[in-house]
Amino acid sequence: MFKGSYPALITPFTNGELDLETLKKIVEWHIGEGTNGFVPVGTTGESPTLSHEEHETVVEEVVKASAGRVPVIAGAGSNNTLEAIRFAQHAEKVGADGILVVTPYYNKPTQRGLIAHFTAVHDCCELPIIIYNIPGRSVIDMTPETMGELAKLPRIVGVKDATGDLARPSQQRATCGADFIQLSGEDATALGFNAHGGVGCISVTANVAPKLCAEFQAATLAGDYAKALEYQDKLMPLHEAIFVEPGLVGAKYAMSRLGLCNEEVRLPLTGLTDGTKTQIDAAMAHAGLL
């Protein structure tokens, strides 16, 4: 259903406001570069600093601009279950193909609480759900056993795994089944992740290098790991440089170097230091992007 390279789309701003014209141009560029689908308003889309109305506008505009050519998995996560339900129902109303729902951050629910939260979101709409497990940001780690319980629900179809633990895909195959969609949430380990049974990546780097990331994913899915390793060697410095400071800031800077958008981010994030810009420029040159 969902596989390959899915950029966790940035949200462009101009003078503090959503820049929807630039967003539409970015969607067109991605489709031309071979991107397999989109994930708007995840963390890389600056969801923490978007209003609810802005969040919903971005999802709607990406769905419209994609026009059914590639799937759209809308960010619909929140640490407030009622808010997650609102975002899920809105995504369904505007025609998204699925939703990405993060484990609730800051509240620190138990595994039982995670099951209750995801069951409530599951029951509120008919869209397929990708669980987003990122303990480094949310503090809570959904165990493979808990994920296995949730995988019994008909519309919980997969996971974006950002644990960085390459044993997880195998453990989750055991608890969730081989058909459970496993997408990496970490660019640097996406090669190993797919070797363990993953089928794609929800990627920050794909904002900057969509063609390379899509071709890399295609190579792994074809079982050509020698070719995939060549792409990995080309992309690895970029994966690292983008995350020297918060990844979405690095991605916006790199995209600005390609003339796709400006560097503007919302506080509490700030623009990159000159040293980080130099690292990203070098990594883009290594990848053949500059």
Side-chain angles (χ1 to χ4, degrees):
M1 185 187 297
F2 305 124
K3 63 182 180 179
S5 179
Y6 278 65
L9 276 180
I10 61 106
T11 300
F13 302 123
T14 298
N15 299 321
E17 301 296 326
L18 295 181
D19 186 342
L20 297 178
E21 288 308 309
T22 295
L23 179 64
K24 293 171 193 174
K25 289 174 185 174
I26 288 170
V27 167
E28 286 301 320
W29 175 69
H30 270 289
I31 290 174
E33 292 286 293
T35 280
N36 301 115
F38 295 114
V39 181
V41 290
T43 312
T44 305
E46 293 181 72
S47 57
T49 51
L50 296 182
S51 70
H52 291 173
E53 291 73 24
E54 287 173 327
H55 179 121
E56 291 170 351
T57 295
V58 170
V59 170
E60 186 167 4
E61 291 299 326
V62 172
V63 170
K64 283 181 185 174
S66 300
R69 291 173 289 176
V70 296
V72 176
I73 303 172
S78 175
N79 64 338
N80 176 341
T81 304
L82 291 177
E83 196 171 88
I85 286 170
R86 167 184 170 159
F87 289 147
Q89 291 176 336
H90 175 267
E92 181 174 40
K93 184 176 77 174
V94 300
D97 300 283
I99 51 175
L100 180 70
V101 181
V102 70
T103 50
Y105 40 88
Y106 201 76
N107 325 46
K108 297 178 73 172
T110 62
Q111 297 297 306
R112 188 163 52 89
L114 291 177
I115 289 173
H117 175 81
F118 279 89
T119 300
V121 178
H122 171 275
D123 291 348
C124 85
C125 71
E126 297 298 317
L127 289 178
I129 295 170
I130 301 292
I131 296 164
Y132 183 13
N133 192 30
I134 182 165
R137 284 188 186 269
S138 68
V139 183
I140 293 302
D141 182 7
M142 182 182 287
T143 66
E145 292 72 26
T146 295
M147 201 172 292
E149 283 301 306
L150 287 169
K152 294 174 184 176
L153 297 172
R155 290 181 298 284
I156 293 188
V157 299
V159 61
K160 175 186 177 182
D161 187 305
T163 62
D165 179 356
L166 290 179
R168 284 297 178 96
S170 295
Q171 292 165 348
Q172 287 156 185
R173 281 171 69 84
T175 59
C176 302
D179 293 335
F180 196 68
I181 298 164
Q182 298 204 62
L183 304 170
S184 173
E186 187 181 79
D187 281 298
T189 56
L191 176 64
F193 189 92
N194 281 10
H196 279 257
V199 294
C201 183
I202 296 177
S203 166
V204 177
T205 304
N207 280 287
V208 182
K211 187 170 190 291
L212 289 175
C213 289
E215 290 173 351
F216 162 76
Q217 284 293 329
T220 67
L221 295 175
D224 190 346
Y225 281 91
K227 184 177 180 183
L229 191 56
E230 292 177 15
Y231 282 107
Q232 178 81 348
D233 291 342
K234 189 178 285 192
L235 286 165
M236 191 66 188
L238 189 57
H239 296 329
E240 292 180 328
I242 283 175
F243 280 95
V244 170
E245 296 184 47
L248 74 91
V249 187
K252 278 190 169 179
Y253 168 73
M255 292 173 75
S256 78
R257 296 285 282 120
L258 299 174
L260 293 166
C261 64
N262 63 46
E263 301 174 50
E264 188 175 328
V265 295
R266 284 183 174 173
L267 289 170
L269 299 180
T270 57
L272 300 181
T273 62
D274 288 343
T276 302
K277 289 180 180 181
T278 299
Q279 282 184 257
I280 290 175
D281 286 347
M284 291 178 73
H286 178 83
L289 301 174
L290 290 179

